[in-house]
Structure formats: structure tokens, C-alpha cells
Amino acid sequence: MRRFSIFLTTLFFVFGATLYANEAVLIDFSRLAADFPPDNPRENARTMVDFSARAGTSFSDTDRAAMRTSLAIDNWEVRLAPSARRINNQRLTMAREVPVLPTARRFAGDRIMGVRVNFPNEPFNSWASIRPPFEIPAFQRMSSVDESGNVIEDMSDRHGNKFTDGFGVVKNVGVLRTVSMNMYGSNFPHGIEVVLKDQNNREHVIFMDYMNFEGWRTITWRNPNYIAEVRNRTLHAIPLYPNATPYVKLAGINIRKDAMQEGGDIITYIRDITITFDRAINEFERDIDEEAIWGIMTEREDARRTAEFERLGHIQVLRYLETQRMFRETEAAGN
């Protein structure tokens, strides 16, 4: 009887570790350093996306080449709240790729995200939102980039894992347990939030902590509604095939300023964001290859991938057209 109890206890701990200890890096900015083209890096090859297919036929090959973008840190946008979006404040608000010194105690030599926010000096509540250059697709296929910068999709990537493994998307996420962020503070009293988006297109704003510390710190949000005891959970069976696997992706990071806090510049640095969670679906081996027979998941994911790409491509083309209309000093000098 005692041996059976030990066996059950061991089984519970193994099962509990499997159930509760799922951890994944949502985004690792040290992997988003610019590395392409090799002679003058401006883009991140792993996350590069080509939107030129959505541009129409009136653009030249040179124009189309400029419609490629990636999650390289310098491409991220930092937008102030409408009430604070004055020309000079927005001009001084930006994200930059920043190297950590080789002598640093943590993350030595990494290239991470540095953020500068310039708030107005008037005493009112405000915020700044750090957003990726495009909404991170959950179903984009893996790809490679050739010497000419052409993005070549890997058609064997059936589930679309281009932005998983630390590039903004985590799949098979049920209940969030914690969200953690490694960041470098400089004693600013502002708050910081992580914005997640799920498979139902709903945004979840998670307040992490205040940035009133100096140096590296791992700040963590713990889900107050997380039920750790299995016996207290509402148990129900989840239909399997062909249900889509739930996911979360990074929609942005917010910095909030209270009316009582001073305006002007704030500087901070972010290395990565990690989540722990329950799996939404246990991934068992099944005796029938249902997808090979019905093809339902492939059809659904292809449709979602196309919808994501169409929406993001339209925005990128509009941005390119806007840059073409902007004033250039070199052109003015030539006239």
C-alpha cells in the first residue's frame, strides 16, 4: 500500500509538472537584432515579411523591394496618447536597438530594445504604446531570405511557426499563470503593461509593475484567478479535432504616466517577455491521421494566414506610399 501511495505521489508530481510548468519565451528582443543585408544590416532575416504582392502592378521592382519589413527593433513604433502626441514629443519618442556592455553582470553582449518616451510637461495622465511594425501573424509559415532579399516560404511548415519560439507567438495556451519581463530600470516611477492578443482577437492588458528600480530586474505578474488545486477546478472535456489550438501573441507594451509624475524623457530597456501557462489541449498521439483525411485545419489556417497577410500588406503599402510623398533634403538640394 505504501509503495502504491509513493507511485501515485510520483505520478501526481510528474503530471503536475507537465500540466502547470509550461514555460515559453513570448518574445526575445536579443534575437531581433538587425542582421540583413550583411553589409548594412537594417532588417531581421528570421522575421522578414514581403508585402509587395499586395501592392498592385504599378510599382517597379525597386519599389517592391522596399516593401519588405521585419520585427527588427528599430522598426518598432512608440506612439504617444492622442493628448500627448505633439510634434516635438512624438519626434523624441522612439525604440532603438541597444548593445549591452560586454562587462555587464546580466545579458552581456546582447542587443536589446531601448525605449525613449518624451511626455509633455503638463500634469495629466498619459501613456505611450510600443507596438511591432505590423501585427504579428500567428499562422505565417517559416521562411528564408536569399541574397537578393527575396522571402522564400517553407511550404512544409503546415502550422505556420514563423513567429513562435521567442518571436511573438505562443500556441496551445490555456490559462495564463505568470507573465515575466526582464528589463533595465533607471528609477522612473511610471507603470509598464504587456498587451496580449488571443485567438479570438481580444486584447488583454496586464499591468506588470512600476519602473522605480535601478539596474536589471525580472518583474512578474501572477494571475490572481489561477486555481492551482485540481480539485477546485471546473472540469470538462474539450473536443479535439478539428478545434483550433488557442494562442497568445504580443500586441504591444504600454508605459503609463500618472498626472502627479513629471513629464519629459524617460528611458528604459527590455530584453524579453516569458509566460507560464496551462496547455489548452494535451497533445496525444492518435491512431488516425485525421488531418490527412479531412484537411480541415489546413484549410482554416490557410484562410487565417491569408486574411492576416492581406490586412498587414495593405497597411505596409500605404506606409510605403506615404514615405514616397515625404520631403527629402537630397532631392531638394538637387533642385
Side-chain angles (χ1 to χ4, degrees), residues 18 32 35 37-38 42 70 80 82 97 146-147 169 173 189 225 247 251 266 285-286 293 298 324:
T18 302
L32 294 178
D35 56 10
R42 298 184 306 277
S70 69
L80 292 170
E97 181 181 316
D146 65 18
E147 295 180 356
V169 178
V173 176
N225 299 315
Y247 66 83
I266 72 161
E285 288 290 334
R286 295 172 63 79
I293 298 170
T298 299
Q324 294 301 103

Side-chain angles (χ1 to χ4, degrees), residues 124-281:
F124 58 83
N125 295 335
S126 192
W127 51 263
S129 183
I130 307 161
R131 297 273 170 163
F134 50 85
E135 183 177 333
I136 301 174
F139 298 97
Q140 193 75 22
R141 293 189 183 94
M142 292 288 290
S143 64
S144 59
V145 182
D146 65 18
E147 295 180 356
S148 301
N150 299 310
V151 180
I152 304 169
E153 285 193 345
D154 180 1
M155 301 307 291
S156 66
D157 182 14
R158 187 161 57 89
H159 297 295
N161 291 315
K162 182 180 179 75
F163 291 95
T164 58
D165 299 326
F167 293 94
V169 178
V170 178
K171 296 184 178 180
N172 200 11
V173 176
V175 179
L176 278 177
R177 189 182 188 190
T178 64
V179 179
S180 299
M181 175 188 293
N182 282 311
M183 64 181 303
Y184 191 89
S186 298
N187 287 325
F188 288 100
H190 304 73
I192 190 164
E193 302 169 335
V194 170
V195 185
L196 303 179
K197 183 176 283 191
D198 63 21
Q199 71 280 358
N200 297 315
N201 215 34
R202 295 176 300 193
E203 286 196 352
H204 306 268
V205 180
I206 298 172
F207 181 80
M208 297 295 295
D209 207 339
Y210 291 97
M211 302 187 298
N212 53 349
F213 58 89
E214 191 276 328
W216 287 108
R217 178 175 292 185
T218 302
I219 58 176
T220 301
W221 169 85
R222 292 176 172 80
N223 186 352
N225 299 315
Y226 185 84
I227 301 174
E229 178 55 61
V230 174
R231 287 172 292 188
N232 295 333
R233 292 187 171 197
T234 302
L235 303 178
H236 58 279
I238 301 175
L240 301 177
Y241 187 86
N243 280 13
T245 301
Y247 66 83
V248 295
K249 61 183 176 181
L250 180 66
I253 302 167
N254 296 337
I255 295 176
R256 293 200 172 269
K257 168 190 170 299
D258 187 82
M260 300 302 293
Q261 297 165 357
E262 294 183 3
D265 284 320
I266 72 161
I267 304 290
T268 193
Y269 306 91
I270 304 169
R271 186 191 184 272
D272 56 47
I273 300 173
T274 302
I275 63 174
T276 62
F277 56 95
D278 291 356
R279 286 196 304 267
I281 300 171

Side-chain angles (χ1 to χ4, degrees), residues 267-334:
I267 304 290
T268 193
Y269 306 91
I270 304 169
R271 186 191 184 272
D272 56 47
I273 300 173
T274 302
I275 63 174
T276 62
F277 56 95
D278 291 356
R279 286 196 304 267
I281 300 171
N282 285 319
E283 299 172 352
F284 298 118
E285 288 290 334
R286 295 172 63 79
D287 294 339
I288 299 174
D289 188 353
E290 294 170 293
E291 182 59 22
I293 298 170
W294 308 110
I296 298 174
M297 296 298 295
T298 299
E299 183 179 345
R300 289 180 181 175
E301 291 183 1
D302 282 346
R304 295 191 68 167
R305 188 180 299 113
T306 301
E308 288 178 334
F309 199 61
E310 290 281 359
R311 182 175 64 254
L312 302 179
H314 179 67
I315 295 172
Q316 292 301 317
V317 171
L318 290 178
R319 286 178 178 169
Y320 173 75
L321 292 174
E322 185 65 24
T323 60
Q324 294 301 103
R325 289 191 285 264
M326 292 174 63
F327 172 81
R328 291 178 172 81
E329 292 186 3
T330 53
E331 293 180 1

Side-chain angles (χ1 to χ4, degrees), residues 90-145:
Q90 187 62 64
R91 181 181 65 84
L92 297 175
T93 297
M94 65 194 75
R96 288 289 181 268
E97 181 181 316
V98 175
V100 181
L101 292 176
T103 55
R105 294 184 179 180
R106 296 183 67 186
F107 312 124
D110 285 355
R111 304 191 74 84
I112 61 175
M113 173 179 279
V115 180
R116 175 187 181 182
V117 179
N118 187 268
F119 284 116
N121 291 316
E122 290 78 6
F124 58 83
N125 295 335
S126 192
W127 51 263
S129 183
I130 307 161
R131 297 273 170 163
F134 50 85
E135 183 177 333
I136 301 174
F139 298 97
Q140 193 75 22
R141 293 189 183 94
M142 292 288 290
S143 64
S144 59
V145 182

